[in-house]
Amino acid sequence: MSTPSRRRLMRDFKKLQDDPPAGVSGAPTEESIMHWEAVIFGPQDTPFEDGTFKLSLLFSEEYPNKPPQVKFVSKMFHPNVYADGSICLDILQNQWSPTYDVAAILTSIQSLLDEPNPNSPANSQAAQLYRENRREYEKRVHAIVEQSWMTFSNEDSDEAVDQTETAREESPIAEHLGFENIENDAEEGMGGLMDETQDSINEGENEDNDEEEEEEGELRNANETDTSLD
């Protein structure tokens, strides 16, 4: 179903692909164009540098007349981010304008990371540390930066496992025979090879015995001949 909001989101997506802003990326999920996943990289020369922070954007059919619901999925320690990841940002609230698109939303959030507003805190502890103990504040930020790496590393591993399992399930051989049949065939093949090897050994032993008996017979005949000559 094509609606004004969905058509607008398609234009937003095309713009992000054709002219992506530095340090941000985003795309609709496979389930719906109304639900996006995004990543913001921590700005350079800030405590958030090298962080990789995931976000979720949920749009309604009233977009772009109303802003989306935006949350950090990654753990965040920031004066203007609530415990559930919701973001206290003016353009997502009373300063929203239909001219803003997804790229503008993500770049504004990226700027907010290093330019918080401690006078309108969503996290009072982070706001207090930012004002009174900047060293401790940056220490806490560095901790969530490192945690963002671990989160992405674990997700990559899970994705690799999922892809491997999917490949196995979709394998034509597996689909035709099944993994258990493949393993059984391998075991049967190995068993047959061992049987053939043992048969060859037995045949070799029988041939050796026949040769020994033949040599003994020839030797007896030779002895009998010598005796008769004497």
Side-chain angles (χ1 to χ4, degrees):
M1 179 180 64
S2 178
T3 63
S5 61
R6 294 168 189 263
R7 289 193 294 270
R8 169 61 185 270
L9 285 170
M10 285 301 300
R11 291 197 297 271
D12 287 3
F13 181 47
K14 187 175 186 303
K15 179 181 176 181
L16 270 176
Q17 288 185 311
D18 295 342
D19 187 22
V24 302
S25 65
T29 63
E30 294 181 357
E31 290 76 17
S32 172
I33 194 173
M34 309 301 286
H35 181 202
W36 286 46
E37 292 178 343
V39 174
I40 290 179
F41 297 94
Q44 292 184 349
D45 301 322
T46 75
F48 293 91
E49 184 175 8
D50 296 330
T52 51
F53 306 107
K54 292 187 65 175
L55 300 95
S56 170
L57 295 84
L58 189 61
F59 299 85
S60 71
E61 291 292 348
E62 296 180 90
Y63 178 80
N65 294 318
K66 286 191 175 182
Q69 298 177 14
V70 186
K71 289 185 177 182
F72 276 99
V73 177
S74 302
K75 186 174 179 61
M76 177 57 62
F77 185 77
H78 188 279
N80 304 119
V81 179
Y82 291 95
D84 67 350
S86 299
I87 303 166
C88 182
L89 181 62
D90 54 2
I91 70 164
L92 295 177
Q93 298 170 348
N94 57 350
Q95 297 298 318
W96 172 257
S97 168
T99 59
Y100 292 128
D101 57 12
V102 174
I105 294 171
L106 296 179
T107 54
S108 296
I109 295 173
Q110 185 185 44
S111 297
L112 179 69
L113 291 181
D114 192 47
E115 299 173 2
N117 179 10
N119 297 321
S120 179
N123 183 327
S124 57
Q125 183 185 21
Q128 183 178 1
L129 288 176
Y130 182 81
R131 287 192 303 262
E132 301 175 3
N133 190 343
R134 192 66 62 88
R135 183 175 181 179
E136 181 63 23
Y137 170 77
E138 293 182 356
K139 181 180 178 181
R140 295 287 297 272
V141 170
H142 290 155
I144 61 106
V145 167
E146 293 182 3
Q147 188 170 345
S148 74
W149 304 337
M150 296 175 63
T151 300
F152 266 77
S153 177
N154 292 337
E155 289 177 354
D156 289 343
S157 298
D158 292 342
E159 183 177 353
V161 170
D162 291 341
Q163 290 176 349
T164 301
E165 292 177 350
T166 300
R168 286 179 175 176
E169 292 172 357
E170 295 178 353
S171 169
I173 297 176
E175 182 179 357
H176 181 65
L177 298 176
F179 284 104
E180 293 182 358
N181 291 339
I182 293 174
E183 292 175 356
N184 291 337
D185 290 345
E187 291 176 358
E188 291 175 1
M190 182 61 71
L193 179 60
M194 293 178 66
D195 291 341
E196 291 178 3
T197 303
Q198 187 62 46
D199 290 342
S200 298
I201 293 173
N202 293 337
E203 289 177 2
E205 291 177 350
N206 292 335
E207 290 178 358
D208 291 341
N209 292 335
D210 292 341
E211 290 178 358
E212 290 178 359
E213 291 176 358
E214 185 176 347
E215 290 177 356
E216 290 176 356
E218 291 177 354
L219 182 59
R220 284 196 299 270
N221 292 335
N223 291 335
E224 290 175 357
T225 302
D226 292 340
T227 303
S228 61
L229 290 175
D230 293 340

